[in-house]
Amino acid sequence: MDFIPVNEPLLNGNEKKYLCECIDTGWISSEGPFVKQFEEKMSFTVGRKYGVAVANGTAALEVAMQAIGVGKGDEVIMPAFTIISCAMAVTKLGAKPVLVDSNIDTWNMNIHEIEAKITDRTKAILVVHLYGLPVEMDGVLEIARRYHLKVVEDAAEMHGQTYRGKPCGSFGDISTFSFYPNKHVTTGEGGMVVTDDEELAERCQMLKNLCFRKDVRYVHDEISDNYRFTNLQAAVGLAQLERLGEFIERKRAMGKFYTQSFADLKGIQLPVAHTEYAENIYWVYGIVLNRDIEITNRDIIKLFTEEGVGTRTFFWCMHEQPVYKKLGFFVNEKYENAEYLARKGFYIPSGMALTKEQMKRVVDKTRSVLEKIK
Ligand SMILES: Cc1ncc(COP(=O)(O)O)c(C=O)c1O
């Protein structure tokens, strides 16, 4: 039996057609016409005025942080449980990530811990929507308003998700997306910053392209990066965006199927299907082992591999990252729920190209693995 990969994208729409257009016209660089079209279509889809395509979701976070003016000595409040891109975007600028714990049910940041973490150095709140459900934005926006803080929204995993009917990616000062192949819209590698603020958008365009001076080429006043996004990537992205609605339906059907199939299983926590503000889009289908199960997610993914099923552990917490320990960040800090999710959470195959037959096999294999560890 073939190995079931944890993720496989679906590229059977107009991707090939648009890519051939790039080849036929010779437009393969970031100057090609699809880049602008993709920026416009993506920002329109998420209800923003401006989009700036960049090399990946990590670059999008870096550009966003730099654009809103995060710098040396500033603090940015973010979840302890997230991808390291979030913390790196802050520490690279000489600023400090200030962490909050997670909610054990939604796996998102506990917004009720934010206010106590605000100091006179706090510059921004970085909201990260994780695994399929959005963070409670009303609470975050209210705190940000009261303390005059910027809000950066990491919507990397949230293509097609809404919070109280409003698209994720439309909240706060600036939002970011990733188009890595496990995202609902992929361009291979890729990312985007979206905002309603024209000045911020212009600043992002500068920052992603070495801060070329507008009046004279090859003259630069600031340090920045080359995070440009190619016409080839945009060609794939445009074709993917055309199918976003269908992709979300597929993901929701997958989530429903897995949840129904696992309903009788003991010892595991399944994703919350919906909250009062959103229905889960199951960016990936996560499972968390109960406390009474002794083994960790690292052990369980080995068992799944033996069964021919690709799985991944959840993220590893920021305060437990060796690099940040070495640099003296987060000394003696503890975030109980975040640590628990990082040790006990994992996800099973959830890619867009997953077939019903594969899903059924994943369910059978999940049952056999859980039987073994009882
Ligand atoms: C929440 C979140 N933010 C940022 C990123 C980084 O995106 P990229 O891999 O495109 O750099 C990811 C990637 O999976 C992510 O899940």
Side-chain angles (χ1 to χ4, degrees):
M1 276 268 181
D2 289 342
F3 189 82
I4 305 176
V6 74
N7 174 70
E8 207 179 329
L10 205 54
L11 301 165
N12 55 358
N14 282 322
E15 288 82 356
K16 205 183 269 179
K17 181 173 164 225
Y18 297 160
L19 278 171
C20 286
E21 231 176 286
C22 298
I23 308 287
D24 290 343
T25 58
W27 277 119
I28 57 172
S29 75
S30 58
E31 301 277 322
F34 285 148
V35 176
K36 198 160 184 350
Q37 283 177 40
F38 184 53
E39 287 176 337
E40 284 173 2
K41 200 161 176 191
M42 180 70 196
S43 49
F44 178 79
T45 304
V46 302
R48 288 288 205 181
K49 285 193 189 145
Y50 309 99
V52 180
V54 293
N56 51 62
T58 305
L61 282 165
E62 289 182 22
V63 166
M65 286 295 166
Q66 206 173 343
I68 62 161
V70 169
K72 214 172 166 50
D74 289 336
E75 294 178 356
V76 177
I77 299 177
M78 66 175 70
F81 176 67
T82 183
I83 191 162
I84 200 152
S85 314
C86 300
M88 282 189 177
V90 169
T91 54
K92 268 190 163 182
L93 295 170
K96 182 179 161 201
V98 173
L99 309 178
V100 298
D101 204 355
S102 313
N103 292 317
I104 205 66
D105 51 352
T106 63
W107 312 332
N108 273 322
M109 66 199 289
N110 181 354
I111 68 154
H112 303 291
E113 291 188 7
I114 293 176
E115 205 165 347
K117 296 284 175 118
I118 296 173
T119 71
D120 53 8
R121 289 182 298 280
T122 309
K123 177 90 182 182
I125 303 170
L126 171 58
V127 169
V128 193
H129 310 294
L130 290 174
Y131 297 111
L133 280 173
V135 171
E136 297 155 83
M137 287 311 302
D138 288 328
V140 175
L141 295 172
E142 191 273 322
I143 295 170
R145 245 189 321 268
R146 222 160 4 99
Y147 288 89
H148 308 289
L149 302 176
K150 303 274 187 204
V151 173
V152 179
E153 183 195 15
D154 181 352
E157 305 172 0
M158 287 297 121
H159 308 262
Q161 180 57 295
T162 57
Y163 168 85
R164 296 197 194 280
K166 197 170 174 279
C168 289
S170 66
F171 293 93
D173 298 272
I174 194 161
S175 312
T176 63
F177 284 93
S178 161
F179 304 119
Y180 188 72
N182 60 7
K183 304 304 188 298
H184 297 156
V185 170
T186 183
T187 62
E189 296 285 349
M192 197 176 291
V193 178
V194 294
T195 179
D196 292 322
D197 183 323
E198 192 178 357
E199 257 179 53
L200 267 185
E202 268 185 25
R203 179 104 183 103
C204 292
Q205 286 288 4
M206 291 278 289
L207 287 168
K208 80 161 208 199
N209 189 20
L210 301 169
C211 281
F212 277 90
R213 254 204 8 216
K214 277 191 185 146
D215 48 348
V216 243
R217 209 170 165 80
Y218 303 118
V219 178
H220 308 259
D221 296 319
E222 278 184 80
I223 299 285
S224 80
D225 296 276
N226 172 358
Y227 286 152
R228 295 190 296 258
F229 180 86
T230 70
N231 208 48
L232 296 164
Q233 290 166 291
V236 176
L238 278 169
Q240 289 270 296
L241 254 187
E242 288 170 0
R243 300 177 69 186
L244 180 56
E246 174 201 334
F247 286 170
I248 295 301
E249 267 177 38
R250 286 178 88 99
K251 276 300 184 89
R252 286 202 165 121
M254 177 203 74
K256 202 166 162 191
F257 175 77
Y258 277 148
T259 296
Q260 279 170 354
S261 309
F262 296 144
D264 61 313
L265 291 183
K266 302 267 182 294
I268 53 171
Q269 178 196 337
L270 301 177
V272 171
H274 57 85
T275 59
E276 58 166 302
Y277 45 82
E279 197 191 327
N280 207 322
I281 52 167
Y282 306 96
W283 168 58
V284 290
Y285 194 91
I287 294 178
V288 180
L289 300 169
N290 281 359
R291 285 173 207 272
D292 52 356
I293 291 185
E294 276 183 9
I295 71 162
T296 67
N297 49 9
R298 292 187 195 178
D299 304 320
I300 208 165
I301 64 169
K302 286 190 203 127
L303 298 175
F304 272 98
T305 309
E306 284 165 19
E307 298 281 352
V309 175
T311 51
R312 291 276 185 283
T313 61
F314 273 10
F315 296 128
W316 193 244
C317 300
M318 296 308 97
H319 62 291
E320 298 194 289
Q321 293 290 348
V323 60
Y324 285 128
K325 283 192 180 164
K326 210 162 57 191
L327 292 170
F329 283 89
F330 317 125
V331 179
N332 295 328
E333 292 185 31
K334 286 205 70 63
Y335 301 92
E336 199 191 323
N337 291 345
E339 288 167 26
Y340 176 67
L341 293 171
R343 282 164 178 76
K344 298 289 188 167
F346 64 99
Y347 59 90
I348 57 178
S350 340
M352 214 55 85
L354 199 66
T355 64
K356 194 79 191 231
E357 189 278 323
Q358 285 177 314
M359 270 188 254
K360 285 184 183 152
R361 256 170 64 211
V362 172
V363 169
D364 291 343
K365 299 296 181 187
T366 306
R367 284 180 176 277
S368 9
V369 167
L370 290 175
E371 198 57 43
K372 277 188 200 163
I373 62 168
K374 254 191 197 161

